[in-house]
Amino acid sequence: MTKFILPFLLTTVMYANNTFTLGYQHLNFDNSKKKDNGNRVSVHLKYQQSTNIYQIAYENTHTNTFQPPLHKDLHVDKLYLHYTKILNQTQALSFYFGTLENNIMKQANNAKMYGIDYRYQNFNFTQYYTHFKHFDVYQSDIAYHHTFNLGTFK
């Protein structure tokens, strides 16, 4: 099972409703017989114009593996495009596109990911479709988000 250790943001630059984020995560695979640990570096750009939100993100992940059973370490590049249309104060519609590149698993390399999401108040209804070379994956998610104030930290 994958565990994320030491997730933190290296830098975030904000101007109005626009953000640039550079992130780093150290990955630890405690219970894996094939993966040891790894690092993920990400870049995320977000631009908002009125009720339109445009986002692009790039992730590069390097995972150290046990050899054998694997013959080399894992290197994966992901690119995401995300568009959201805010319909009103309680509703939004989002569209996703992503690619998976440089994966040593031939079946997963060059995968294309598509998604659509409808948000109503605190509920999200998301449908994903991922096209791999020899198979397709359909995934549906329903999520409820609730935020609350923890108080003032001193």
Side-chain angles (χ1 to χ4, degrees):
M1 181 171 185
T2 303
K3 289 186 179 178
F4 293 98
I5 298 178
L6 297 175
F8 61 91
L9 252 28
L10 294 177
T11 184
T12 299
V13 178
M14 297 180 70
Y15 176 74
N17 291 326
N18 308 310
T19 60
F20 167 78
T21 304
L22 179 62
Y24 171 82
Q25 291 175 310
H26 177 73
L27 308 171
N28 185 352
F29 303 93
D30 284 341
N31 297 320
S32 176
K33 297 198 183 305
K34 295 181 180 181
K35 300 176 189 176
D36 185 18
N37 59 52
N39 298 299
R40 177 176 293 141
V41 177
S42 61
V43 176
H44 182 256
L45 302 169
K46 177 182 171 184
Y47 173 73
Q48 183 169 354
Q49 183 182 40
S50 183
T51 60
N52 299 297
I53 302 172
Y54 305 92
Q55 297 179 68
I56 185 169
Y58 169 77
E59 287 182 2
N60 175 274
T61 304
H62 172 83
T63 304
N64 297 311
T65 62
F66 300 117
Q67 300 166 16
L70 296 179
H71 64 282
K72 62 182 181 177
D73 290 341
L74 303 175
H75 300 276
V76 178
D77 294 310
K78 294 179 185 175
L79 178 65
Y80 301 99
L81 302 173
H82 180 187
Y83 168 74
T84 299
K85 175 67 174 177
I86 299 171
L87 304 174
N88 56 41
Q89 289 182 344
T90 61
Q91 298 181 84
L93 188 61
S94 297
F95 300 93
Y96 307 92
F97 172 75
T99 63
L100 181 66
E101 303 290 336
N102 299 324
N103 194 324
I104 66 168
M105 290 179 50
K106 292 178 183 176
Q107 296 86 351
N109 199 30
N110 300 317
K112 304 294 186 249
M113 301 165 276
Y114 307 89
I116 186 168
D117 177 80
Y118 173 71
R119 179 181 57 82
Y120 177 74
Q121 295 180 350
N122 294 347
F123 288 95
N124 281 72
F125 307 94
T126 309
Q127 178 66 50
Y128 295 103
Y129 164 72
T130 305
H131 175 70
F132 294 95
K133 187 173 183 176
H134 299 293
F135 61 95
D136 294 329
V137 175
Y138 297 89
Q139 176 182 335
S140 299
D141 294 339
I142 298 173
Y144 175 78
H145 303 275
H146 180 72
T147 58
F148 55 92
N149 189 353
L150 293 176
T152 306
F153 291 99
K154 294 181 182 183

